[in-house]
Amino acid sequence: MLKRARDLHSAGRRKLADGKLTTAEATFRAALAEWDKIVPKPAERAHTFHELGRCLETQNRLDNAMTCLREALAIHRSSGPDNAANTATTLYTLSRCLMKKDSWSEAA
């Protein structure tokens, strides 16, 4: 399950980079389904939530993107201070979505 989740995550990133947004989204969702089978839930799944959020942002599905990014952020924050760089990256991506929605008060 762990290898499959990682492989799906990597495949989703390649598809996102190639602009295949619908396929990338489906692949990230499949990866999340694999992550959900693992107990305890690995912190790595935050990266998949982040990438799915980026994919949805690119499709201008901002509310859905922000839901995924907030999930990634919660996982990063619960994983401790070693995740500061990942937390910052996710905050940056979330703030981009908020700016696109003209939701400045939430971004502050």
Side-chain angles (χ1 to χ4, degrees), residues 3-4 15 17-18 21 27 34 39 46 48-50 60 62 65 69 78 81 84 90-91 94 96 100 106:
K3 182 181 180 332
R4 177 135 173 84
K15 291 170 186 183
D18 291 342
L21 302 178
T27 304
E34 288 298 314
V39 177
T48 304
F49 274 113
H50 178 92
N60 208 34
L62 300 176
L69 293 166
S78 71
T90 299
L91 280 170
L94 180 58
R96 260 194 341 243
K100 287 177 182 179
E106 287 183 63

Side-chain angles (χ1 to χ4, degrees), residues 3 8-10 14 20-22 25 27 29 33 41 43-44 51 62 67 69 71 78-79 81 87 89 93 104 107:
K3 182 181 180 332
L8 285 165
H9 175 87
S10 295
R14 286 190 300 275
K20 298 176 181 173
L21 302 178
T22 303
E25 178 184 350
T27 304
R29 290 190 188 282
K41 304 271 183 264
E44 281 180 84
E51 294 298 329
L62 300 176
T67 298
L69 293 166
E71 183 67 28
S78 71
S79 299
T87 299
T89 301
T93 307
W104 292 101

Side-chain angles (χ1 to χ4, degrees), residues 47-104:
H47 301 295
T48 304
F49 274 113
H50 178 92
E51 294 298 329
L52 177 56
R54 286 183 54 231
C55 181
L56 295 167
E57 176 196 8
T58 303
Q59 297 175 61
N60 208 34
R61 294 168 54 197
L62 300 176
D63 289 329
N64 293 329
M66 289 188 301
T67 298
C68 291
L69 293 166
R70 286 183 174 119
E71 183 67 28
L73 191 58
I75 296 166
H76 288 318
R77 286 180 169 162
S78 71
S79 299
D82 291 342
N83 264 325
N86 292 325
T87 299
T89 301
T90 299
L91 280 170
Y92 172 74
T93 307
L94 180 58
S95 69
R96 260 194 341 243
C97 291
L98 289 165
M99 286 187 290
K100 287 177 182 179
K101 286 190 65 155
D102 201 22
S103 297
W104 292 101

